[in-house]
Amino acid sequence: MKKMFALLLALAMTLSLAACGSSSSTTTTEDTTSSAATEDAAADETADSSAETAAATGETYTVGIVNWVDDASLNQIVENIQTELAAKGEELGCTFEVNYDNAQADATVLNQIGADMVASQVDVIVAVATPVATVMQATTEDTDIPVVFSAVSDPVGAGLVESMDEPGGNVTGTSDALDTTAIMNLMLAADPDLELVGLLYDTAQDSSTQPIEDAKAWCDENGIAYEEKTGSTTDDILLATQSLITDGVDAIFTPSDNTVMTAELTIYELLQEAQIPHYAGADSFALNGAFCGYGVDYSNLGVMTADMVVDLLVNDADPATTPVMTFDNGIATINTETCEAIGFDLDTIKETFAPLCTEVVEIQTAEEFE
């Protein structure tokens, strides 16, 4: 009996091994498109993933996040950076401790925050918006602390990087570079009789400089007049808006300007009453009452910024050779309440905008994104 049992057991094991070999052979036969290069890449990816996990497990990294001012766009970025860092920490078995501060648009406060971040020896500084990135670049000049910016519209023009592909220093990040022509085309499509455009912005905002020049060029090319009004505070922007209304502009354009963004909740009802559509360079403007926001998905911008931070800390990526990340600007966000208030038909607007952007999103007025 024992000999018989042993023979049966050996036979079963032989059949099992044969079945396994058959399964492997079938998979290889079906996957006729696989190549040695693909297999090598998969092996490299697995090795990289294992190395990443090994490098991160048990480690604690300190991430200093500095925000320029409270507004819906920038706060959305910060929230998504923090959420993504927490998720990555759990995935990699490490901890990302966040040291957060907000300059509230005060340059003196911003400089002190930068000095404090360096003194506390954070592992990386995340600079949200151009003014923050500029100060953090200067503050970390004599240190080995990398800076990852977010929501910088023109990194090269601001002097933060040598080029988008090869930053060349300790600074890299994610850009919300704006396709101004696309926004102006939406404006003309909605109102083919457009004659006078208001340009509303803060001259001190680097993010507005190039888009405003682009908007002027577009107006000149299309034979449309424009009028500029600027301001550096919410009260200034309110007065500038009232002036544009009095002058009878047909529409108003604002880039991804944080000063106007902060004032949007103050001015949107005036523009509704005057039935003047406000087009701006971020969906947060539409959230706060503007007719149309066009630009990047700021929640995704925050996620990608966090992923870049993780790459620098965990994988020892070099900011000097880490390309600045840009995004598709094809999303038009329409405030449905404002659309109705200024006399546009929502279905007609969506049909008109559809060929000119990758997606049309509807939103209603609120202070912050949920």
Side-chain angles (χ1 to χ4, degrees):
M1 289 296 292
K2 288 181 180 180
K3 289 181 179 180
M4 182 65 70
F5 179 80
L7 288 171
L8 290 173
L9 181 59
L11 179 61
M13 290 177 67
T14 301
L15 291 173
S16 176
L17 288 170
C20 289
S22 175
S23 174
S24 177
S25 175
T26 302
T27 301
T28 303
T29 302
E30 290 176 352
D31 188 14
T32 55
T33 60
S34 66
S35 65
T38 303
E39 291 169 2
D40 289 344
D44 289 344
E45 183 177 346
T46 302
D48 289 344
S49 177
S50 299
E52 179 182 89
T53 304
T57 300
E59 290 289 331
T60 297
Y61 305 96
T62 304
V63 180
I65 301 178
V66 185
N67 196 359
W68 172 235
V69 70
D70 276 320
D71 71 36
S73 290
L74 303 187
N75 291 346
Q76 185 183 25
I77 293 169
V78 171
E79 289 169 8
N80 280 277
I81 290 173
Q82 293 175 320
T83 300
E84 178 70 359
L85 286 176
K88 283 294 184 182
E90 185 174 344
E91 175 187 330
L92 300 174
C94 62
T95 302
F96 295 102
E97 290 186 352
V98 172
N99 182 355
Y100 173 76
D101 216 330
N102 191 318
Q104 297 299 353
D106 188 316
T108 302
V109 172
L110 180 58
N111 279 284
Q112 185 58 55
I113 291 172
D116 291 343
M117 289 285 180
V118 171
S120 62
Q121 298 182 329
V122 296
D123 294 308
V124 64
I125 296 177
V126 179
V128 183
T130 304
V132 181
T134 302
V135 171
M136 295 305 125
Q137 179 189 41
T139 303
T140 60
E141 187 175 11
D142 296 324
T143 76
D144 58 357
I145 299 174
V147 175
V148 177
F149 58 74
S150 187
V152 171
S153 300
D154 186 5
V156 176
L160 294 168
V161 298
E162 294 176 7
S163 74
M164 300 292 274
D165 292 329
E166 293 282 340
N170 70 317
V171 182
T172 187
T174 59
S175 172
D176 59 347
L178 193 62
D179 185 347
T180 304
T181 298
I183 301 179
M184 306 305 282
N185 287 339
L186 291 177
M187 188 184 296
L188 185 59
D191 181 9
D193 298 323
L194 190 68
E195 294 182 354
L196 178 60
V197 173
L199 305 178
L200 181 64
Y201 65 102
D202 180 356
T203 56
Q205 291 281 315
D206 289 338
S207 61
S208 292
T209 304
Q210 189 59 51
I212 289 296
E213 292 304 313
D214 292 340
K216 292 177 184 178
W218 182 91
C219 288
D220 290 339
E221 290 170 6
N222 289 275
I224 296 171
Y226 60 84
E227 182 171 337
E228 296 178 70
K229 295 294 179 182
T230 65
S232 58
T233 67
T234 295
D235 288 342
D236 290 343
I237 297 300
L238 175 59
L239 292 173
T241 302
Q242 291 170 331
S243 180
L244 289 172
I245 292 172
T246 300
D247 292 342
V249 298
D250 298 310
I252 293 175
F253 166 68
T254 295
S256 50
D257 186 301
N258 289 308
T259 303
V260 181
M261 176 67 253
T262 305
E264 189 66 44
L265 286 168
T266 303
I267 66 175
Y268 83 93
E269 290 179 323
L270 293 175
L271 294 174
Q272 283 184 352
E273 292 171 6
Q275 294 195 317
I276 297 174
H278 187 189
Y279 295 79
D283 57 356
S284 48
F285 285 87
L287 176 75
N288 283 178
F291 165 63
C292 178
Y294 181 92
V296 306
D297 180 343
Y298 277 84
S299 59
N300 186 48
L301 190 75
V303 171
M304 294 297 101
T305 303
D307 288 347
M308 188 174 286
V309 168
V310 173
D311 194 32
L312 264 60
L313 294 179
V314 176
N315 297 331
D316 292 325
D318 184 358
T321 56
T322 300
V324 175
M325 187 176 294
T326 57
F327 301 84
D328 176 19
N329 290 314
I331 302 173
T333 302
I334 306 300
N335 185 304
T336 56
E337 297 164 324
T338 299
C339 183
E340 181 180 1
I342 64 178
F344 282 154
D345 177 73
L346 179 61
D347 289 336
T348 301
I349 286 294
K350 289 170 65 177
E351 183 178 349
T352 301
F353 283 2
L356 302 175
C357 54
T358 57
E359 185 179 2
V360 179
V361 176
E362 298 176 24
I363 205 168
Q364 292 187 329
T365 308
E367 185 173 352
E368 296 281 353
F369 288 97
E370 295 181 356

